């Protein structure tokens, strides 16, 4: 089992390995002094609960916890205000107290919703992350961004609330469909393009199928490094949004029919093209990014017009009045924040 510490205001461990789910209760209670004896509410979705709910619940019970479970419908549309409210009411009905724990068992949707609930229930209680998608393992389970979507767009309401610990059992990826696994490949290769050309090449050459734990650990380490520098997303952390200004707009335009990872893949391709057009990176660099995404199996056609995307992009959280921070590649392994005015953004989109 690999262990990393995420150095936020409140440092916390991330455990990565195989066969961990059946031991999750023990691993967490050994790491967290007062967890045994507490109530834990395992929150999961309608696909993951039947697969991994019992093994997780049994493990927490054997470690001395009182276990409750709560299931939400699978899919992005569960990241909404009404479901968040229903979950909070349920916690209150169970008489969950401030010393108890929530456990997010699932992909990024379960993680973002559970983290949000944990951050506001009784003004904040502890939670644990058990990611079950590749995307959640390499990205959403670490760093403490929580959110729900609003009608106007993606993740427009949320908090920063770090988990107490994260446990990532990579065995669970075996039940993912190819498409959902690919969503995680998009967020993984993002890390390579951001800061690590070697990681980019390893993923391109099928590394996630062969040396999965090491690559997951490398992505988490990079996320930890960036988040520890800028926990509250006021500077460097914006880099983690590579491909997201375009990607979030695609998700919103599709009413969330396009998954986050696929939208981010198209967004990374668009970021590469934009950088080449602006003369920030070479044409070869932009082609290498696009070809890598195609080789990995992404379809990069965007079904929405420049106008449609632009309107949604204006609500991006990296907008500061009349400017918006784009994240653009200067080379593979070197991305930077590149502010543009919203007028320039309009021109870029039309080009
Ligand atoms: N907080 C962050 O930093 C952060 C980072 C990246 C993405 N996100 C968010 O994460 C979400 C996307 O996460 P996702 O791609 O995990 O989507 P998801 O949570 O919707 O999971 C995708 C699908 O896979 C199923 N599933 C999950 N684990 C499974 C398993 N082991 N076996 C079989 N099926 C399984 C789910 O039921 C769901 O149908 C988006 O809402 C995105 O905005 C947040
Ligand atoms: O952790 C971060 O910071 C990220 O930006 C990671 C992204 O992959 C993730 O999709 C995040 O939820 C996007 O955040 P947002 O602030 O653009 O809503
Ligand atoms: Zn993302």
């Amino acid at each position: 089992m690999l262990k990393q510490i995420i150095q936020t205001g409140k440092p916390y461990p991330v455990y990565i390995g195989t066969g961990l789910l059946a031991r999750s209760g023990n691993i967490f209670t050994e790491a967290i002094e007062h967890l045994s004896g507490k109530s834990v509410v395992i929150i999961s979705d309608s696909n993951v609960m039947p697969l991994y709910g019992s093994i997780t619940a049994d493990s927490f019970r054997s470690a001395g916890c009182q276990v409750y479970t709560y299931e939400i419908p699978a899919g992005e549309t569960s990241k909404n205000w009404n479901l968040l409210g229903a979950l909070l009411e349920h916690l209150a009905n169970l008489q969950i107290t401030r010393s108890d724990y929530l456990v997010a068992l699932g992909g990024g949707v379960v993680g973002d919703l559970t983290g949000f609930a944990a951050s506001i229930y009784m003004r904040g209680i502890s939670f644990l992350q058990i990611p079950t998608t590749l995307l959640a393992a390499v990205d959403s389970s670490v760093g403490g961004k929580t959110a729900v979507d609003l009608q106007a767009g993606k993740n427009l309401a949320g908090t920063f609330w770090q988990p107490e610990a994260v446990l990532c059992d990579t065995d669970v990826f075996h039940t993912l469909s190819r498409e959902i696994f690919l969503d995680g490949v998009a967020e993984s290769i993002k890390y390579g393009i951001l800061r690590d050309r070697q990681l980019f090449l390893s993923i391109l050459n099928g590394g996630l199928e062969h040396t999965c734990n090491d690559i997951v650990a490398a992505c988490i380490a990079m996320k930890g490094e960036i988040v520890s520098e800028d926990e509250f997303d006021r500077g460097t952390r914006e880099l983690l949004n590579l491909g997201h200004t375009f990607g979030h707009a695609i998700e919103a335009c599709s009413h969330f029919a396009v998954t986050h990872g696929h939208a981010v893949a198209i967004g990374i391709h668009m970021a590469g093209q934009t950088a080449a057009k602006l003369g920030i990176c070479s044409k070869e660099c932009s082609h290498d990014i696009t070809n890598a995404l195609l080789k990995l199996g992404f379809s990069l056609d965007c079904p929405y017009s420049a106008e449609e995307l632009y309107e949604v992009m204006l609500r991006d959280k990296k907008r500061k009045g009349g400017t918006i921070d784009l994240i653009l590649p200067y080379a593979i392994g070197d991305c930077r924040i590149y502010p543009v005015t919203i007028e320039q953004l309009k021109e870029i989109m039309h080009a």
Side-chain angles (χ1 to χ4, degrees), residues 45 47-48 51-52 106-108 131-137 169-185 212:
D45 73 22
N47 292 328
V48 178
L51 287 170
Y52 302 112
T132 64
T133 61
L134 173 62
L135 181 144
D169 181 345
T170 54
D171 280 341
V172 302
F173 301 160
H174 292 129
T175 51
L176 292 174
S177 68
R178 183 179 168 277
E179 287 298 297
I180 307 281
F181 187 79
L182 209 49
D183 284 329
V185 174
C212 184

Side-chain angles (χ1 to χ4, degrees), residues 112 139 145 154-155 187 190 223 233 237 240-241 244 248 260 317:
D112 281 11
D139 203 354
K145 271 191 182 175
K154 184 78 188 174
N155 293 346
E187 294 277 27
K190 172 184 87 178
K223 178 149 192 180
D233 206 17
R237 185 169 181 166
L240 296 173
N241 243 240
H244 284 63
H248 279 171
H260 181 68
K317 291 188 284 312

Side-chain angles (χ1 to χ4, degrees), residues 185 188-192 198-209 215 219 296:
V185 174
S188 307
I189 202 146
K190 172 184 87 178
Y191 287 100
Q198 201 48 52
L199 178 63
F200 169 85
L201 293 174
S202 305
I203 294 169
L204 179 58
N205 294 322
L208 276 164
E209 282 79 24
I215 291 186
C219 295
L296 287 165

Side-chain angles (χ1 to χ4, degrees), residues 45-97:
D45 73 22
S46 48
N47 292 328
V48 178
M49 192 70 97
L51 287 170
Y52 302 112
S54 299
I55 190 175
T56 311
D58 289 348
S59 177
F60 274 91
R61 256 181 228 114
S62 331
C65 298
Q66 162 83 42
V67 178
Y68 301 96
T69 59
Y70 186 81
E71 188 176 302
I72 61 168
E76 180 71 28
T77 47
S78 282
K79 253 176 72 170
N80 73 61
W81 212 238
N82 291 340
L83 237 140
L84 176 69
L87 170 56
L88 295 171
E89 294 289 355
H90 188 74
L91 297 176
N93 290 338
L94 289 175
Q95 298 185 14
I96 295 303
T97 70

